[in-house]
Amino acid sequence: GYQMGFLHGYMLENSTSIMATDYLDHFIPSMISWKFDKKASASPKYAKLYDFVTSLIGDFLMDKSVKSFNNELAGTFPEPLLQEMQGIVDGAKAANPATVVSMDRLITLNYGMDFLSTQVFGGGLLGHLKDYIRTAKGGKLLQEADDDMVELLELLEADFFTVPAFCDAFVATGDSHVPSSGPVYARSFQLPTAGYFQDYQTMFIYMPS
């Protein structure tokens, strides 16, 4: 719960900050499919579009993930997990008042990849991305971009983006777990390490009381 999260944030503020910033930033390129890379390497127009899209797709992922988490999934996540996430934020701030760790970044780190998967598999990613580019922060960037960027956006294709990996999951219920603790859900981490995860992964051992 909250106390475990606070200790995590307080004792591992630097590691948590790196995962919430550098890891997310370096994870983004793995969302781009080889088809977009190929188009960008062969055409100046696509190269220009590629640079523009990759410069804001990280903000897009955070913006949409947080809105989905707070609006569409409100009340569906176990309260102890939400308290643990808030504890991480509070602990990180206690250790370093200037920390970049925030609830929005933790939501993106923990839920953003699931949100991304639903958009890719459901066919909604391209529409959401275009809407984001035309509005909010993306809209401001579009206004500041060259005049032909609006036209170039129409060159975007759904298969320019991909889910980079999938994670296995399992649930233990009944006689296979401690009855007083309720069902246990877990999943393996099979997403790209982005050059950071392998150095900052941390094992936590829960001891239900």
Side-chain angles (χ1 to χ4, degrees):
Y2 181 85
Q3 290 181 328
M4 176 174 283
F6 188 91
L7 288 174
H8 179 171
Y10 188 79
M11 298 173 67
L12 299 173
E13 187 277 327
N14 183 61
S15 298
T16 307
S17 293
I18 289 173
M19 286 298 295
T21 53
D22 294 333
Y23 172 76
L24 283 178
D25 291 343
H26 286 80
F27 177 91
I28 298 304
S30 63
M31 296 168 52
I32 307 299
S33 78
W34 64 268
K35 295 180 180 180
F36 201 178
D37 287 330
K38 185 177 181 180
K39 290 271 191 179
S41 64
S43 166
K45 277 190 174 183
Y46 278 97
K48 188 175 183 178
L49 176 64
Y50 185 98
D51 290 341
F52 180 75
V53 170
T54 54
S55 70
L56 55 78
I57 197 169
D59 288 335
F60 158 78
L61 179 61
M62 181 179 298
D63 179 82
K64 293 298 183 180
S65 297
V66 171
K67 286 181 179 178
S68 172
F69 187 90
N70 290 332
N71 300 331
E72 299 170 10
L73 302 176
T76 63
F77 284 84
E79 187 61 28
L81 295 182
L82 297 178
Q83 292 175 0
E84 184 173 345
M85 291 170 67
Q86 186 60 57
I88 292 174
V89 175
D90 293 346
K93 288 182 177 179
N96 176 14
T99 186
V100 296
V101 177
S102 67
M103 195 64 168
D104 285 356
R105 287 190 172 274
L106 292 186
I107 289 173
T108 306
L109 188 61
N110 286 278
Y111 168 69
M113 313 317 166
D114 298 296
F115 170 80
L116 174 65
S117 297
T118 64
Q119 298 308 303
V120 172
F121 296 141
L125 179 63
L126 190 58
H128 280 303
L129 180 59
K130 285 184 177 180
D131 288 344
Y132 177 76
I133 291 174
R134 294 186 179 111
T135 59
K137 180 180 179 181
K140 184 175 184 296
L141 294 175
L142 187 60
Q143 293 174 3
E144 296 172 350
D146 295 340
D147 294 338
D148 61 347
M149 189 55 67
V150 174
E151 179 182 345
L152 291 179
L153 283 179
E154 299 309 312
L155 298 176
L156 281 176
E157 301 175 21
D159 57 3
F160 282 177
F161 308 94
T162 183
V163 177
F166 307 93
C167 300
D168 295 324
F170 68 88
V171 176
T173 61
D175 295 336
S176 59
H177 75 296
V178 181
S180 62
S181 66
V184 175
Y185 169 84
R187 73 176 186 182
S188 62
F189 185 93
Q190 293 171 246
L191 294 169
T193 63
Y196 289 90
F197 182 84
Q198 73 281 354
D199 296 328
Y200 296 99
Q201 58 183 323
T202 304
M203 178 182 291
F204 286 88
I205 300 176
Y206 288 83
M207 300 292 289
S209 58

mmCIF file with all atom_site columns, all heavy atoms in Angstrom, residues 143-161:
data_model
loop_
_atom_site.group_PDB
_atom_site.id
_atom_site.type_symbol
_atom_site.label_atom_id
_atom_site.label_alt_id
_atom_site.label_comp_id
_atom_site.label_asym_id
_atom_site.label_entity_id
_atom_site.label_seq_id
_atom_site.pdbx_PDB_ins_code
_atom_site.Cartn_x
_atom_site.Cartn_y
_atom_site.Cartn_z
_atom_site.occupancy
_atom_site.B_iso_or_equiv
_atom_site.pdbx_formal_charge
_atom_site.auth_seq_id
_atom_site.auth_comp_id
_atom_site.auth_asym_id
_atom_site.auth_atom_id
_atom_site.pdbx_PDB_model_num
ATOM 1   N N   . GLN A 1 143 ? 0.779  24.411 -35.476 1.00 0.00 ? 143 GLN A N   1
ATOM 2   C CA  . GLN A 1 143 ? 0.732  25.805 -35.923 1.00 0.00 ? 143 GLN A CA  1
ATOM 3   C C   . GLN A 1 143 ? 2.125  26.363 -36.150 1.00 0.00 ? 143 GLN A C   1
ATOM 4   O O   . GLN A 1 143 ? 2.339  27.194 -37.040 1.00 0.00 ? 143 GLN A O   1
ATOM 5   C CB  . GLN A 1 143 ? -0.007 26.655 -34.888 1.00 0.00 ? 143 GLN A CB  1
ATOM 6   C CG  . GLN A 1 143 ? -1.489 26.328 -34.764 1.00 0.00 ? 143 GLN A CG  1
ATOM 7   C CD  . GLN A 1 143 ? -2.153 27.086 -33.630 1.00 0.00 ? 143 GLN A CD  1
ATOM 8   O OE1 . GLN A 1 143 ? -1.524 27.901 -32.965 1.00 0.00 ? 143 GLN A OE1 1
ATOM 9   N NE2 . GLN A 1 143 ? -3.421 26.811 -33.395 1.00 0.00 ? 143 GLN A NE2 1
ATOM 10  N N   . GLU A 1 144 ? 3.076  25.893 -35.356 1.00 0.00 ? 144 GLU A N   1
ATOM 11  C CA  . GLU A 1 144 ? 4.439  26.382 -35.472 1.00 0.00 ? 144 GLU A CA  1
ATOM 12  C C   . GLU A 1 144 ? 5.227  25.669 -36.567 1.00 0.00 ? 144 GLU A C   1
ATOM 13  O O   . GLU A 1 144 ? 6.307  26.116 -36.955 1.00 0.00 ? 144 GLU A O   1
ATOM 14  C CB  . GLU A 1 144 ? 5.163  26.215 -34.130 1.00 0.00 ? 144 GLU A CB  1
ATOM 15  C CG  . GLU A 1 144 ? 4.546  27.047 -33.008 1.00 0.00 ? 144 GLU A CG  1
ATOM 16  C CD  . GLU A 1 144 ? 5.155  26.720 -31.653 1.00 0.00 ? 144 GLU A CD  1
ATOM 17  O OE1 . GLU A 1 144 ? 5.902  25.724 -31.574 1.00 0.00 ? 144 GLU A OE1 1
ATOM 18  O OE2 . GLU A 1 144 ? 4.877  27.456 -30.680 1.00 0.00 ? 144 GLU A OE2 1
ATOM 19  N N   . ALA A 1 145 ? 4.678  24.560 -37.066 1.00 0.00 ? 145 ALA A N   1
ATOM 20  C CA  . ALA A 1 145 ? 5.372  23.779 -38.093 1.00 0.00 ? 145 ALA A CA  1
ATOM 21  C C   . ALA A 1 145 ? 5.189  24.426 -39.462 1.00 0.00 ? 145 ALA A C   1
ATOM 22  O O   . ALA A 1 145 ? 4.449  25.402 -39.624 1.00 0.00 ? 145 ALA A O   1
ATOM 23  C CB  . ALA A 1 145 ? 4.837  22.357 -38.112 1.00 0.00 ? 145 ALA A CB  1
ATOM 24  N N   . ASP A 1 146 ? 5.863  23.874 -40.450 1.00 0.00 ? 146 ASP A N   1
ATOM 25  C CA  . ASP A 1 146 ? 5.744  24.386 -41.809 1.00 0.00 ? 146 ASP A CA  1
ATOM 26  C C   . ASP A 1 146 ? 4.322  24.233 -42.320 1.00 0.00 ? 146 ASP A C   1
ATOM 27  O O   . ASP A 1 146 ? 3.564  23.367 -41.882 1.00 0.00 ? 146 ASP A O   1
ATOM 28  C CB  . ASP A 1 146 ? 6.712  23.651 -42.746 1.00 0.00 ? 146 ASP A CB  1
ATOM 29  C CG  . ASP A 1 146 ? 8.171  23.927 -42.380 1.00 0.00 ? 146 ASP A CG  1
ATOM 30  O OD1 . ASP A 1 146 ? 8.417  24.936 -41.683 1.00 0.00 ? 146 ASP A OD1 1
ATOM 31  O OD2 . ASP A 1 146 ? 9.040  23.140 -42.777 1.00 0.00 ? 146 ASP A OD2 1
ATOM 32  N N   . ASP A 1 147 ? 3.971  25.053 -43.305 1.00 0.00 ? 147 ASP A N   1
ATOM 33  C CA  . ASP A 1 147 ? 2.605  25.073 -43.816 1.00 0.00 ? 147 ASP A CA  1
ATOM 34  C C   . ASP A 1 147 ? 2.153  23.729 -44.390 1.00 0.00 ? 147 ASP A C   1
ATOM 35  O O   . ASP A 1 147 ? 0.959  23.426 -44.385 1.00 0.00 ? 147 ASP A O   1
ATOM 36  C CB  . ASP A 1 147 ? 2.471  26.155 -44.895 1.00 0.00 ? 147 ASP A CB  1
ATOM 37  C CG  . ASP A 1 147 ? 2.653  27.562 -44.334 1.00 0.00 ? 147 ASP A CG  1
ATOM 38  O OD1 . ASP A 1 147 ? 2.461  27.727 -43.111 1.00 0.00 ? 147 ASP A OD1 1
ATOM 39  O OD2 . ASP A 1 147 ? 3.000  28.473 -45.098 1.00 0.00 ? 147 ASP A OD2 1
ATOM 40  N N   . ASP A 1 148 ? 3.076  22.938 -44.883 1.00 0.00 ? 148 ASP A N   1
ATOM 41  C CA  . ASP A 1 148 ? 2.687  21.695 -45.530 1.00 0.00 ? 148 ASP A CA  1
ATOM 42  C C   . ASP A 1 148 ? 2.482  20.535 -44.561 1.00 0.00 ? 148 ASP A C   1
ATOM 43  O O   . ASP A 1 148 ? 2.134  19.434 -44.971 1.00 0.00 ? 148 ASP A O   1
ATOM 44  C CB  . ASP A 1 148 ? 3.712  21.287 -46.597 1.00 0.00 ? 148 ASP A CB  1
ATOM 45  C CG  . ASP A 1 148 ? 5.101  21.046 -45.990 1.00 0.00 ? 148 ASP A CG  1
ATOM 46  O OD1 . ASP A 1 148 ? 5.310  21.427 -44.818 1.00 0.00 ? 148 ASP A OD1 1
ATOM 47  O OD2 . ASP A 1 148 ? 5.965  20.508 -46.704 1.00 0.00 ? 148 ASP A OD2 1
ATOM 48  N N   . MET A 1 149 ? 2.665  20.780 -43.246 1.00 0.00 ? 149 MET A N   1
ATOM 49  C CA  . MET A 1 149 ? 2.566  19.685 -42.284 1.00 0.00 ? 149 MET A CA  1
ATOM 50  C C   . MET A 1 149 ? 1.143  19.139 -42.198 1.00 0.00 ? 149 MET A C   1
ATOM 51  O O   . MET A 1 149 ? 0.938  17.930 -42.017 1.00 0.00 ? 149 MET A O   1
ATOM 52  C CB  . MET A 1 149 ? 3.046  20.124 -40.903 1.00 0.00 ? 149 MET A CB  1
ATOM 53  C CG  . MET A 1 149 ? 3.166  18.976 -39.900 1.00 0.00 ? 149 MET A CG  1
ATOM 54  S SD  . MET A 1 149 ? 4.218  17.618 -40.484 1.00 0.00 ? 149 MET A SD  1
ATOM 55  C CE  . MET A 1 149 ? 5.816  18.446 -40.510 1.00 0.00 ? 149 MET A CE  1
ATOM 56  N N   . VAL A 1 150 ? 0.138  20.000 -42.333 1.00 0.00 ? 150 VAL A N   1
ATOM 57  C CA  . VAL A 1 150 ? -1.249 19.531 -42.307 1.00 0.00 ? 150 VAL A CA  1
ATOM 58  C C   . VAL A 1 150 ? -1.483 18.538 -43.434 1.00 0.00 ? 150 VAL A C   1
ATOM 59  O O   . VAL A 1 150 ? -2.121 17.495 -43.264 1.00 0.00 ? 150 VAL A O   1
ATOM 60  C CB  . VAL A 1 150 ? -2.228 20.722 -42.427 1.00 0.00 ? 150 VAL A CB  1
ATOM 61  C CG1 . VAL A 1 150 ? -3.655 20.215 -42.551 1.00 0.00 ? 150 VAL A CG1 1
ATOM 62  C CG2 . VAL A 1 150 ? -2.094 21.639 -41.225 1.00 0.00 ? 150 VAL A CG2 1
ATOM 63  N N   . GLU A 1 151 ? -0.952 18.852 -44.597 1.00 0.00 ? 151 GLU A N   1
ATOM 64  C CA  . GLU A 1 151 ? -1.065 17.947 -45.744 1.00 0.00 ? 151 GLU A CA  1
ATOM 65  C C   . GLU A 1 151 ? -0.285 16.654 -45.504 1.00 0.00 ? 151 GLU A C   1
ATOM 66  O O   . GLU A 1 151 ? -0.750 15.555 -45.831 1.00 0.00 ? 151 GLU A O   1
ATOM 67  C CB  . GLU A 1 151 ? -0.553 18.636 -47.003 1.00 0.00 ? 151 GLU A CB  1
ATOM 68  C CG  . GLU A 1 151 ? -0.612 17.774 -48.255 1.00 0.00 ? 151 GLU A CG  1
ATOM 69  C CD  . GLU A 1 151 ? -0.053 18.494 -49.470 1.00 0.00 ? 151 GLU A CD  1
ATOM 70  O OE1 . GLU A 1 151 ? 0.116  19.733 -49.414 1.00 0.00 ? 151 GLU A OE1 1
ATOM 71  O OE2 . GLU A 1 151 ? 0.216  17.812 -50.474 1.00 0.00 ? 151 GLU A OE2 1
ATOM 72  N N   . LEU A 1 152 ? 0.879  16.776 -44.896 1.00 0.00 ? 152 LEU A N   1
ATOM 73  C CA  . LEU A 1 152 ? 1.718  15.607 -44.658 1.00 0.00 ? 152 LEU A CA  1
ATOM 74  C C   . LEU A 1 152 ? 1.078  14.635 -43.674 1.00 0.00 ? 152 LEU A C   1
ATOM 75  O O   . LEU A 1 152 ? 1.299  13.418 -43.746 1.00 0.00 ? 152 LEU A O   1
ATOM 76  C CB  . LEU A 1 152 ? 3.096  16.032 -44.134 1.00 0.00 ? 152 LEU A CB  1
ATOM 77  C CG  . LEU A 1 152 ? 4.012  16.757 -45.124 1.00 0.00 ? 152 LEU A CG  1
ATOM 78  C CD1 . LEU A 1 152 ? 5.324  17.136 -44.445 1.00 0.00 ? 152 LEU A CD1 1
ATOM 79  C CD2 . LEU A 1 152 ? 4.287  15.894 -46.341 1.00 0.00 ? 152 LEU A CD2 1
ATOM 80  N N   . LEU A 1 153 ? 0.264  15.155 -42.754 1.00 0.00 ? 153 LEU A N   1
ATOM 81  C CA  . LEU A 1 153 ? -0.394 14.287 -41.780 1.00 0.00 ? 153 LEU A CA  1
ATOM 82  C C   . LEU A 1 153 ? -1.273 13.237 -42.459 1.00 0.00 ? 153 LEU A C   1
ATOM 83  O O   . LEU A 1 153 ? -1.482 12.152 -41.919 1.00 0.00 ? 153 LEU A O   1
ATOM 84  C CB  . LEU A 1 153 ? -1.241 15.115 -40.815 1.00 0.00 ? 153 LEU A CB  1
ATOM 85  C CG  . LEU A 1 153 ? -0.500 15.858 -39.710 1.00 0.00 ? 153 LEU A CG  1
ATOM 86  C CD1 . LEU A 1 153 ? -1.477 16.642 -38.865 1.00 0.00 ? 153 LEU A CD1 1
ATOM 87  C CD2 . LEU A 1 153 ? 0.291  14.895 -38.849 1.00 0.00 ? 153 LEU A CD2 1
ATOM 88  N N   . GLU A 1 154 ? -1.786 13.562 -43.634 1.00 0.00 ? 154 GLU A N   1
ATOM 89  C CA  . GLU A 1 154 ? -2.638 12.623 -44.349 1.00 0.00 ? 154 GLU A CA  1
ATOM 90  C C   . GLU A 1 154 ? -1.852 11.427 -44.870 1.00 0.00 ? 154 GLU A C   1
ATOM 91  O O   . GLU A 1 154 ? -2.436 10.439 -45.318 1.00 0.00 ? 154 GLU A O   1
ATOM 92  C CB  . GLU A 1 154 ? -3.356 13.333 -45.498 1.00 0.00 ? 154 GLU A CB  1
ATOM 93  C CG  . GLU A 1 154 ? -4.273 14.466 -45.043 1.00 0.00 ? 154 GLU A CG  1
ATOM 94  C CD  . GLU A 1 154 ? -5.237 14.027 -43.952 1.00 0.00 ? 154 GLU A CD  1
ATOM 95  O OE1 . GLU A 1 154 ? -5.881 12.962 -44.119 1.00 0.00 ? 154 GLU A OE1 1
ATOM 96  O OE2 . GLU A 1 154 ? -5.352 14.731 -42.929 1.00 0.00 ? 154 GLU A OE2 1
ATOM 97  N N   . LEU A 1 155 ? -0.530 11.509 -44.826 1.00 0.00 ? 155 LEU A N   1
ATOM 98  C CA  . LEU A 1 155 ? 0.307  10.392 -45.271 1.00 0.00 ? 155 LEU A CA  1
ATOM 99  C C   . LEU A 1 155 ? 0.468  9.337  -44.180 1.00 0.00 ? 155 LEU A C   1
ATOM 100 O O   . LEU A 1 155 ? 0.961  8.235  -44.453 1.00 0.00 ? 155 LEU A O   1
ATOM 101 C CB  . LEU A 1 155 ? 1.695  10.898 -45.682 1.00 0.00 ? 155 LEU A CB  1
ATOM 102 C CG  . LEU A 1 155 ? 1.750  11.884 -46.860 1.00 0.00 ? 155 LEU A CG  1
ATOM 103 C CD1 . LEU A 1 155 ? 3.188  12.356 -47.074 1.00 0.00 ? 155 LEU A CD1 1
ATOM 104 C CD2 . LEU A 1 155 ? 1.200  11.245 -48.125 1.00 0.00 ? 155 LEU A CD2 1
ATOM 105 N N   . LEU A 1 156 ? 0.069  9.673  -42.966 1.00 0.00 ? 156 LEU A N   1
ATOM 106 C CA  . LEU A 1 156 ? 0.190  8.710  -41.863 1.00 0.00 ? 156 LEU A CA  1
ATOM 107 C C   . LEU A 1 156 ? -0.674 7.478  -42.127 1.00 0.00 ? 156 LEU A C   1
ATOM 108 O O   . LEU A 1 156 ? -1.820 7.594  -42.573 1.00 0.00 ? 156 LEU A O   1
ATOM 109 C CB  . LEU A 1 156 ? -0.227 9.344  -40.541 1.00 0.00 ? 156 LEU A CB  1
ATOM 110 C CG  . LEU A 1 156 ? 0.782  10.253 -39.845 1.00 0.00 ? 156 LEU A CG  1
ATOM 111 C CD1 . LEU A 1 156 ? 0.154  10.871 -38.602 1.00 0.00 ? 156 LEU A CD1 1
ATOM 112 C CD2 . LEU A 1 156 ? 2.049  9.495  -39.479 1.00 0.00 ? 156 LEU A CD2 1
ATOM 113 N N   . GLU A 1 157 ? -0.132 6.320  -41.836 1.00 0.00 ? 157 GLU A N   1
ATOM 114 C CA  . GLU A 1 157 ? -0.849 5.060  -42.005 1.00 0.00 ? 157 GLU A CA  1
ATOM 115 C C   . GLU A 1 157 ? -0.863 4.303  -40.676 1.00 0.00 ? 157 GLU A C   1
ATOM 116 O O   . GLU A 1 157 ? 0.065  4.430  -39.865 1.00 0.00 ? 157 GLU A O   1
ATOM 117 C CB  . GLU A 1 157 ? -0.174 4.200  -43.078 1.00 0.00 ? 157 GLU A CB  1
ATOM 118 C CG  . GLU A 1 157 ? -0.099 4.866  -44.443 1.00 0.00 ? 157 GLU A CG  1
ATOM 119 C CD  . GLU A 1 157 ? 0.689  4.028  -45.432 1.00 0.00 ? 157 GLU A CD  1
ATOM 120 O OE1 . GLU A 1 157 ? 0.818  2.805  -45.209 1.00 0.00 ? 157 GLU A OE1 1
ATOM 121 O OE2 . GLU A 1 157 ? 1.185  4.588  -46.431 1.00 0.00 ? 157 GLU A OE2 1
ATOM 122 N N   . ALA A 1 158 ? -1.904 3.524  -40.461 1.00 0.00 ? 158 ALA A N   1
ATOM 123 C CA  . ALA A 1 158 ? -2.049 2.797  -39.196 1.00 0.00 ? 158 ALA A CA  1
ATOM 124 C C   . ALA A 1 158 ? -0.887 1.842  -38.950 1.00 0.00 ? 158 ALA A C   1
ATOM 125 O O   . ALA A 1 158 ? -0.438 1.676  -37.811 1.00 0.00 ? 158 ALA A O   1
ATOM 126 C CB  . ALA A 1 158 ? -3.366 2.027  -39.191 1.00 0.00 ? 158 ALA A CB  1
ATOM 127 N N   . ASP A 1 159 ? -0.378 1.221  -40.018 1.00 0.00 ? 159 ASP A N   1
ATOM 128 C CA  . ASP A 1 159 ? 0.700  0.242  -39.810 1.00 0.00 ? 159 ASP A CA  1
ATOM 129 C C   . ASP A 1 159 ? 2.077  0.891  -39.697 1.00 0.00 ? 159 ASP A C   1
ATOM 130 O O   . ASP A 1 159 ? 3.090  0.199  -39.729 1.00 0.00 ? 159 ASP A O   1
ATOM 131 C CB  . ASP A 1 159 ? 0.702  -0.822 -40.908 1.00 0.00 ? 159 ASP A CB  1
ATOM 132 C CG  . ASP A 1 159 ? 0.829  -0.248 -42.306 1.00 0.00 ? 159 ASP A CG  1
ATOM 133 O OD1 . ASP A 1 159 ? 0.970  0.985  -42.420 1.00 0.00 ? 159 ASP A OD1 1
ATOM 134 O OD2 . ASP A 1 159 ? 0.798  -1.039 -43.269 1.00 0.00 ? 159 ASP A OD2 1
ATOM 135 N N   . PHE A 1 160 ? 2.117  2.218  -39.534 1.00 0.00 ? 160 PHE A N   1
ATOM 136 C CA  . PHE A 1 160 ? 3.376  2.899  -39.211 1.00 0.00 ? 160 PHE A CA  1
ATOM 137 C C   . PHE A 1 160 ? 3.707  2.729  -37.727 1.00 0.00 ? 160 PHE A C   1
ATOM 138 O O   . PHE A 1 160 ? 4.804  3.064  -37.293 1.00 0.00 ? 160 PHE A O   1
ATOM 139 C CB  . PHE A 1 160 ? 3.291  4.388  -39.527 1.00 0.00 ? 160 PHE A CB  1
ATOM 140 C CG  . PHE A 1 160 ? 3.426  4.713  -40.992 1.00 0.00 ? 160 PHE A CG  1
ATOM 141 C CD1 . PHE A 1 160 ? 3.304  6.016  -41.433 1.00 0.00 ? 160 PHE A CD1 1
ATOM 142 C CD2 . PHE A 1 160 ? 3.683  3.730  -41.926 1.00 0.00 ? 160 PHE A CD2 1
ATOM 143 C CE1 . PHE A 1 160 ? 3.436  6.330  -42.773 1.00 0.00 ? 160 PHE A CE1 1
ATOM 144 C CE2 . PHE A 1 160 ? 3.812  4.028  -43.274 1.00 0.00 ? 160 PHE A CE2 1
ATOM 145 C CZ  . PHE A 1 160 ? 3.688  5.339  -43.701 1.00 0.00 ? 160 PHE A CZ  1
ATOM 146 N N   . PHE A 1 161 ? 2.727  2.217  -36.955 1.00 0.00 ? 161 PHE A N   1
ATOM 147 C CA  . PHE A 1 161 ? 2.904  2.069  -35.519 1.00 0.00 ? 161 PHE A CA  1
ATOM 148 C C   . PHE A 1 161 ? 2.621  0.629  -35.124 1.00 0.00 ? 161 PHE A C   1
ATOM 149 O O   . PHE A 1 161 ? 1.802  -0.052 -35.730 1.00 0.00 ? 161 PHE A O   1
ATOM 150 C CB  . PHE A 1 161 ? 1.980  3.029  -34.768 1.00 0.00 ? 161 PHE A CB  1
ATOM 151 C CG  . PHE A 1 161 ? 2.097  4.445  -35.229 1.00 0.00 ? 161 PHE A CG  1
ATOM 152 C CD1 . PHE A 1 161 ? 1.237  4.961  -36.196 1.00 0.00 ? 161 PHE A CD1 1
ATOM 153 C CD2 . PHE A 1 161 ? 3.098  5.266  -34.731 1.00 0.00 ? 161 PHE A CD2 1
ATOM 154 C CE1 . PHE A 1 161 ? 1.373  6.262  -36.650 1.00 0.00 ? 161 PHE A CE1 1
ATOM 155 C CE2 . PHE A 1 161 ? 3.233  6.571  -35.177 1.00 0.00 ? 161 PHE A CE2 1
ATOM 156 C CZ  . PHE A 1 161 ? 2.372  7.072  -36.144 1.00 0.00 ? 161 PHE A CZ  1
#
